Amino acid sequence: MSSMSPTHSDFLPQLKAIGQSLKKRFFRKPNVADAINQYEELCQELRRDGQDEFAAVCALEAAKCQESLQNHMEYGNVLVKAAKYFLDARKAQHCYEVDENVLHISSRGYVQLAMQYLGKASEVYKAQQNYGLALLAKIKMGQTLFEEKEYGESLKCYKNALDLASSHFTLADELVIVEAVIKCKVKTTELESASKIVNEYLSKLRKAEADCPTELYLTFTLRFEVMRVCLLLILDTDSVDFASFISQEPTLSEDDHLLFESEERQRTLIYLKSLVLAVQHGSVDEIIQVRDHLSPLFTEIEHELFFILINIHS
């Protein structure tokens, strides 16, 4: 097999030469711009050779130059590139046969570096009031940490992203991120907190119904209704008259009524009533049947909640 890391013989002399040349020529703007170009050329060469960790180091040198020129957006962009290269280096490790513990430690190091520079990039973007790129950087941090099973840290990133989305973007953007927050809370078994968030966003959806595209409104309402009922059943909420409770409707205007009485929503509520009865009967087979009927609506969260429900009653 190939060795775990490429040799430094070609990379380090070239990297040092660029820096030394810049010092000799002083840090004037044209000289720094020329150094940036050289770092980027070396970076691309390293990428083509599959030496992603060295490409990341090279990108960080280019980022320092961009910062010295006060090119704030470019500084943030190159930090994001460096983070991406560190993550690519982590993925490339899976091509090598190495001791599992060594691989985990090394992979974790790459992830930590990527998180450091994505976090810094997000702050740079926020300072420049580019909230879209700041949001994307935070989401990438949350996704990566979730993949690493660092659910608590992932939750922190998604919460930061949700704060940004709530302050600067639409409810539709919030809904995508809040599902990630709920997913993390389910993984960390913060189920009561997850239930509160689901209820909060169901309320937000209903208040914003008139301003939401119909398909978006219906899709998220149905998914959140499924989450709400599953969480209540998992938390073993007092289920006296539960079937009538889950079918309660908010006060509707005549214009709202058609959407809320849509065939899809009514079918979903019927299956949710069946789910309550299945849980009350302790019938795993019936729970599975309901899950299979509702699964076209599901994201990872709903599958996870049904997995928990089935395990409880198995």
Side-chain angles (χ1 to χ4, degrees), residues 49-95:
D49 291 343
Q51 301 181 36
D52 292 311
E53 62 269 51
F54 292 161
V57 172
C58 212
L60 291 175
E61 292 301 316
K64 290 177 187 176
C65 292
Q66 294 287 6
E67 185 181 23
S68 72
L69 295 176
Q70 297 188 347
N71 293 337
H72 301 296
M73 289 302 299
E74 280 304 313
Y75 174 50
N77 293 342
V78 181
L79 288 175
V80 170
K81 279 185 185 178
K84 179 185 183 303
Y85 299 159
F86 278 125
L87 293 177
D88 288 346
R90 172 202 60 167
K91 291 175 185 175
Q93 289 180 329
H94 297 294
C95 299

Side-chain angles (χ1 to χ4, degrees), residues 5-38:
S5 298
T7 66
H8 296 63
S9 58
D10 295 328
F11 164 66
L12 286 180
Q14 292 180 70
L15 186 72
K16 289 178 181 177
I18 297 170
Q20 288 169 355
S21 174
L22 184 58
K23 288 178 183 177
K24 288 176 183 177
R25 296 161 61 196
F26 304 104
F27 286 87
R28 296 192 181 96
K29 188 170 183 178
N31 298 337
V32 176
D34 185 49
I36 291 171
N37 290 334
Q38 291 181 59

Side-chain angles (χ1 to χ4, degrees), residues 10 16 29 72 74 107 149 169 199 219 249 253 269 289 292 303-304:
D10 295 328
K16 289 178 181 177
K29 188 170 183 178
H72 301 296
E74 280 304 313
S107 174
K149 296 182 171 54
F169 297 97
N199 286 327
T219 298
E249 303 286 7
S253 67
L269 288 175
Q289 286 176 12
D292 292 345
H303 282 293
E304 180 77 13

Side-chain angles (χ1 to χ4, degrees), residues 243-310:
S244 62
F245 168 68
I246 66 168
S247 64
Q248 285 178 358
E249 303 286 7
T251 303
L252 303 172
S253 67
E254 289 185 6
D255 291 337
D256 297 329
H257 191 70
L258 183 61
L259 178 59
F260 251 89
E261 292 299 323
S262 71
E263 182 180 344
E264 187 174 6
R265 186 171 193 278
Q266 288 306 301
R267 185 168 60 248
T268 301
L269 288 175
I270 289 168
Y271 285 131
L272 289 176
K273 290 179 184 179
S274 299
L275 177 62
V276 172
L277 294 173
V279 169
Q280 288 175 337
H281 297 155
S283 172
V284 172
D285 288 342
E286 290 177 19
I287 294 172
I288 291 171
Q289 286 176 12
V290 173
R291 179 200 64 191
D292 292 345
H293 282 298
L294 290 174
S295 62
L297 292 172
F298 287 4
T299 64
E300 186 180 345
I301 311 169
E302 292 80 19
H303 282 293
E304 180 77 13
L305 291 173
F306 265 89
F307 177 78
I308 295 170
L309 261 180
I310 290 166

Side-chain angles (χ1 to χ4, degrees), residues 194-238:
S195 183
K196 288 177 183 176
I197 293 171
V198 168
N199 286 327
E200 176 190 344
Y201 274 84
L202 269 172
S203 177
K204 279 190 176 185
L205 272 164
R206 288 164 180 161
K207 288 176 183 176
E209 179 183 356
D211 300 320
C212 279
T214 300
E215 186 175 352
L216 180 142
Y217 175 81
L218 189 57
T219 298
F220 278 100
T221 298
L222 295 182
R223 286 215 297 257
F224 276 60
E225 286 284 9
V226 172
M227 282 189 267
R228 181 171 73 96
V229 174
C230 285
L231 283 163
L232 288 171
L233 290 170
I234 291 167
L235 291 166
D236 199 26
T237 302
D238 184 4

Side-chain angles (χ1 to χ4, degrees), residues 115-171:
M115 295 304 97
Q116 177 183 337
Y117 294 116
L118 280 171
K120 187 178 290 187
S122 182
E123 293 305 312
V124 170
Y125 291 140
K126 277 198 290 184
Q128 298 303 304
Q129 298 186 338
N130 193 319
Y131 299 111
L133 290 178
L135 180 63
L136 289 174
K138 283 293 181 184
I139 290 172
K140 181 61 177 176
M141 292 173 71
Q143 289 171 338
T144 302
L145 289 164
F146 191 89
E147 290 169 5
E148 292 291 307
K149 296 182 171 54
E150 298 281 351
Y151 301 124
E153 293 303 309
S154 176
L155 178 59
K156 291 177 186 176
C157 294
Y158 280 128
K159 281 182 174 179
N160 290 337
L162 186 58
D163 289 340
L164 272 173
S166 302
S167 302
H168 302 287
F169 297 97
T170 66
L171 178 59

